[in-house]
Every structure is written in C-alpha cells, then in structure tokens.
Amino acid sequence: MSTLERELTQGKKAVSRIELVGLIMVALSIFGLLVNPGFIAGIFNAMVERTVPVIVNVYITGTLGVTIILSVVTGRILERLGFTDALIRIFTPITKLMGINPTVVIPAVYNILGDINAAGRITGPTLKRAKATKDEQKIAIATMIQSQQSFSTFMLGMLAMTAAGIKVFPVIVIAVFLPLVVVPWLLSRTIYRNTEAKSLVHIDRFTPTTGALPTLFGAAREGAELLFLLLIPAAAAIFAIIGALNYIGIWGPIEQGLTAALTALSIDPQTGIQSILVSPTLAMNTLKDTAATLNPKLVIGSFVLASSGFPLQVIVGQVPAIWASGSDLTEREAMEAAVLGAVMRIVTAFILALVLTPLVS
C-alpha cells in the first residue's frame, strides 16, 4: 500500500519535514506581527535599499550594463573570426604531451571568450564523445574554473590594471593562459590520475557559421539576456540577502571575517567579496574606479580572483547542473571538481599577487 493510500485509509495526512518548517515560519510571522510588526517591513525595506543603488545606478543607468553587452558582442565577433578554435589548436597538443585526453582544455579555452554556462553545455558533450575518463572530465571542470566566466571581466580587469600602472601583458599570460597548462598537469599527477593520451583525428569546431550581421545582432541580444536574465537577478538576490542580514545585525561580523581573510590573501576586500558572492564583472567594474588608489598587489590579486568561475552560486549550482546533463559526471562529482578549481584559483591569486607585483608594477 502506498503512502497516499495509507493516508486516505487512515483519514489523515502525515506532516512532512518542509510542512513543519512552514508551520514554524507561520508561527514566527504571527508572533512578529503581534510583537513588532515593523520588523518584517524593516527587513524588506533594508533589502530594497541595499539592492536598488547597485541594480539601478551601476547595472541599468551606469556603464556596467552596456559594458557587459558590448563585451559579449566583442567575444562573439572574435569567436566568429576563429579565435577560440585557434587557441584550441595551440593548447590541445600541449595537453596531449602530458598524457591526458586533449579535450580537457577545451572548456577552459571556450570560457575565455564565452561564458561558463555555454562552456559546459557546448564542450561537455565533446569530452564525452572523445571518451575522456571521469577523472579527465573533472580536470576539465577544475581547469575551466580558472578562466573568467564573462569576457567583460577580462576587459574591465585590464582597465583596472592599467589605471594602477601595472604591466598587463605578463599578468594576462601568467594568470589567464598559463593555468590552462599547469592545472591539468598538476591534477593529472596528484588527484585525478586516471588519464589517457589520445590522438584526436577530429576536434569539434566552435567557430559559428552565421553571417556577420546575424552574429553582431545575435551577440547583442545574448548580452542583453545575460544582463537582464542572469546577472541582474543574481546580484539582486545576493544584495537583498546582504541587506536583510545587515538589518538583523549578522552581516557585519561576516563582512569583517571576509575582509580579514581576503586582505591576508592579498586581495582587495571590497572587490573580492563582490567576486565571490555577487559577480566578478561587478568587482572589476568597481576595481577600475579604485585601482589607482590601491596597492598594486591588491589589484593583481583581485583580478586573478575575478578571472575565475566565481561567484559561489555558479560553482555550486550552475556548473554541477549543466555538467551532470552533458557529461558522465554526477552533480556531486562536478561540484567537487568545481570547488577544487575555485580553491586553486584563490591560492593562485595569493601567490601571483606576491610574486608578480615587484615585477610588473
């Protein structure tokens, strides 16, 4: 007899765990309305006041929204001109020399000009067709996390480093392109050792065949969708939560802890928190305005951190869901690889900030 049949026979419905949570919330809400009705309204008002300045003044009426759309247009034009396929041609032979399936580097290369969701959705099946092992697919995810999830992050980061008087070229080569080689090599010899060198007769091409004008206007539409359907809702949700926590009095200690940890890691706390919790693009937009007043070490550390798969909701939510549907990995396996890649990126930001600052500033 099924649970529903038993409930109908007994004439009552079992209370589920989520219903118990809901009953507690109802009781707390009634109690709050009786004792302090302004508290609930105050939380909502705090959420709005924390969110509106960023969403309206920065994304919508500020320059960040247009920057995101134009960065997508630029990235898609470069992709249409064969930039992504050229990078794949450069890096796949290097990966093969390491004794790894050459396709493991493709998601990270694609992510440089695309976005992390498209990288998983489009290149994940490529690894599966190339018979990459599960360890190699995990390496691909961890390596992909080393690349920025939006081309606008890359462009704004270069503006920030230029404003701080930093030599951009060495930082880009070491922070963006070198991990495409170092991370697969390191992981294949430590954690994910089940790898196989294969000769790929055919590698999927990622250069679109659409015409010039469809590419241009399609990219603009894609940029607008990215802005209004993903980045703005995500930023609104995070800033609303921060506003509520701040109203209750919880956010202050959390922010102090994050500030201390990021400062110790040679990362600007303000933009570091934005990269981890909200949006690396927003972080670099903030950094370009403040970089001239900061220690170059903090600028480099912040750029390296932003040039990654952060924020956290992407790493623990979007990446596992997309890769579980397009690869041989489960959501848990994909998330573990993504978290590992994020930890490696934080360590990389700390090391490069210390090592590169004396050489490039």
Side-chain angles (χ1 to χ4, degrees):
M1 184 181 294
S2 67
T3 303
L4 178 60
E5 291 173 337
R6 285 197 301 269
E7 291 173 353
L8 292 174
T9 302
Q10 297 171 1
K12 62 180 181 179
K13 179 182 178 181
V15 180
S16 66
R17 182 178 301 177
I18 193 61
E19 287 175 322
L20 286 175
V21 174
L23 289 172
I24 293 173
M25 294 301 298
V26 170
L28 289 175
S29 299
I30 294 174
F31 179 77
L33 289 173
L34 290 172
V35 177
N36 187 4
F39 181 75
I40 297 176
I43 290 180
F44 183 77
N45 185 61
M47 295 166 65
V48 172
E49 289 185 347
R50 190 68 181 242
T51 305
V52 168
V54 176
I55 300 303
V56 175
N57 300 336
V58 177
Y59 279 98
I60 297 178
T61 62
T63 60
L64 182 56
V66 175
T67 301
I68 291 170
I69 294 174
L70 293 182
S71 72
V72 174
V73 171
T74 304
R76 289 295 176 258
I77 290 174
L78 290 174
E79 183 181 54
R80 180 63 181 83
L81 294 174
F83 193 87
T84 299
D85 280 329
L87 287 177
I88 290 173
R89 288 289 181 182
I90 293 172
F91 283 101
T92 50
I94 299 174
T95 312
K96 180 183 174 183
L97 293 175
M98 301 178 194
I100 309 172
N101 191 310
T103 57
V104 300
V105 78
I106 291 178
V109 170
Y110 186 91
N111 193 31
I112 290 176
L113 289 184
D115 65 81
I116 203 164
N117 295 322
R121 186 176 62 254
I122 294 174
T123 66
T126 299
L127 275 78
K128 193 173 181 178
R129 289 194 297 270
K131 301 188 184 306
T133 66
K134 294 186 75 170
D135 274 7
E136 288 171 332
Q137 293 176 41
K138 293 175 184 178
I139 291 174
I141 293 176
T143 306
M144 181 184 68
I145 297 298
Q146 313 308 306
S147 299
Q148 63 276 351
Q149 54 136 325
S150 171
F151 192 56
S152 56
T153 302
F154 181 78
M155 304 300 290
L156 292 169
M158 287 197 297
L159 286 175
M161 289 189 289
T162 301
I166 295 170
K167 298 174 184 176
V168 174
F169 180 76
V171 178
I172 297 299
V173 171
I174 296 174
V176 177
F177 292 105
L178 191 59
L180 301 184
V181 176
V182 174
V183 171
W185 177 84
L186 182 62
L187 291 179
S188 67
R189 279 150 180 79
T190 53
I191 301 175
Y192 303 131
R193 302 177 66 178
N194 182 20
T195 61
E196 301 174 2
K198 291 186 178 180
S199 298
L200 297 180
V201 178
H202 172 73
I203 298 178
D204 292 346
R205 295 184 182 275
F206 299 98
T207 300
T209 57
T210 52
L213 287 179
T215 297
L216 180 65
F217 290 107
R221 183 181 61 189
E222 181 183 347
E225 291 174 350
L226 174 66
L227 174 64
F228 290 104
L229 300 182
L230 182 61
L231 295 180
I232 287 181
I238 296 300
F239 277 107
I241 293 173
I242 291 174
L245 294 177
N246 188 56
Y247 184 81
I248 298 172
I250 298 176
W251 175 246
I254 296 175
E255 187 176 26
Q256 291 175 3
L258 289 172
T259 297
L262 291 169
T263 302
L265 291 170
S266 300
I267 298 169
D268 172 48
Q270 180 185 15
T271 58
I273 291 174
Q274 290 177 348
S275 289
I276 293 173
L277 298 181
V278 187
S279 165
T281 302
L282 175 62
M284 291 299 95
N285 186 68
T286 302
L287 188 65
K288 74 177 175 58
D289 296 328
T290 60
T293 64
L294 296 176
N295 186 325
K297 178 176 66 175
L298 298 178
V299 176
I300 293 174
S302 297
F303 170 75
V304 176
L305 178 66
S307 300
S308 66
F310 280 109
L312 280 173
Q313 61 263 31
V314 172
I315 293 171
V316 302
Q318 295 174 29
V319 170
I322 291 172
W323 279 81
S325 64
S327 71
D328 296 319
L329 303 177
T330 64
E331 286 194 9
R332 181 183 179 87
E333 291 170 332
M335 184 175 67
E336 289 174 350
V339 170
L340 174 61
V343 172
M344 295 180 70
R345 196 56 175 174
I346 293 173
V347 174
T348 301
F350 172 64
I351 294 174
L352 293 184
L354 294 180
V355 174
L356 288 180
T357 301
L359 303 176
V360 300
S361 61

